[in-house]
Amino acid sequence: MDENNSGISDATTTEVEASYLQRVCTDLIDWGVVVMLLIALYLLLPRELFASIIKASSFGRYLIVVMLLFVYRLFSILLFGKTIGMMICRVKYL
């Protein structure tokens, strides 16, 4: 195998790992987006739906937040290749 065609040369890049501050900033922005989505859903969907979920259990409330965060990250990474927090903080998803 020629040295120019080796797989190792393709793996070496100039990218570095994001700093701790960048990762925290990215996570805070993404959580803020999820909170804004929750508020928007609360205002748009019928009140009876949320009243039944809140009365059911506290686990249901946490499950909704985790599911919304998962769906937000899944769709934004599939559609755009990064989340809003990654775009603002200029962090590349690897």
Side-chain angles (χ1 to χ4, degrees), residues 28-87:
L28 287 175
I29 291 170
D30 288 338
W31 273 100
V33 169
V34 169
V35 168
M36 289 189 313
L37 286 173
L38 278 172
I39 292 170
L41 286 176
Y42 181 75
L43 294 174
L44 295 175
L45 294 177
R47 302 267 190 252
E48 295 83 23
L49 176 68
F50 288 104
S52 64
I53 291 172
I54 289 173
K55 289 179 185 176
S57 70
S58 62
F59 179 71
R61 288 179 256 164
Y62 294 116
L63 187 63
I64 289 173
V65 172
V66 170
M67 290 293 291
L68 189 62
L69 182 64
F70 176 75
V71 169
Y72 158 70
R73 288 185 66 88
L74 177 71
F75 282 132
S76 63
I77 289 174
L78 287 176
L79 293 176
F80 306 115
K82 47 179 76 173
T83 63
I84 294 173
M86 290 177 185
M87 289 179 201

